[in-house]
Amino acid sequence: MPEHKSGEGSRFTSRYGVQRLVWYEEHFDIRDAFQREKSLKRWPHQWKIELIEKTNREWFELFRGTGW
């Protein structure tokens, strides 16, 4: 998260100014996480919004790290 806050997380992060964590999923197998990420990238934008709002209707910042 600190990298995302400073715009260094990825090209996508710096290009679009992504700085808030509003949704996440935990995966115990990295292969499952990669597969889920690829799947979500193909979803329509509205589906992604609905996924976020199922658990975080107000789009609150979920990251609770030090200094952020």
Side-chain angles (χ1 to χ4, degrees):
M1 279 306 298
E3 290 84 6
H4 284 272
K5 295 278 186 187
S6 66
E8 300 170 2
S10 68
R11 260 186 283 187
F12 180 89
T13 299
S14 59
R15 177 180 290 160
Y16 296 102
V18 177
Q19 295 187 352
R20 291 188 310 141
L21 177 66
V22 294
W23 175 85
Y24 68 93
E25 288 181 354
E26 291 185 68
H27 295 273
F28 297 103
D29 185 323
I30 191 72
R31 292 170 294 205
D32 292 339
F34 284 139
Q35 185 58 46
R36 178 66 167 161
E37 182 178 8
K38 288 179 185 180
S39 173
L40 290 173
K41 285 182 180 184
R42 293 189 300 265
W43 281 23
H45 184 73
Q46 186 59 40
W47 291 9
K48 296 171 190 175
I49 290 172
E50 291 168 6
L51 180 65
I52 293 166
E53 291 183 347
K54 264 195 243 179
T55 57
N56 189 0
R57 187 157 187 76
E58 302 297 323
W59 291 62
F60 291 122
E61 168 70 62
L62 302 176
F63 182 66
R64 302 283 186 241
T66 55
W68 300 101

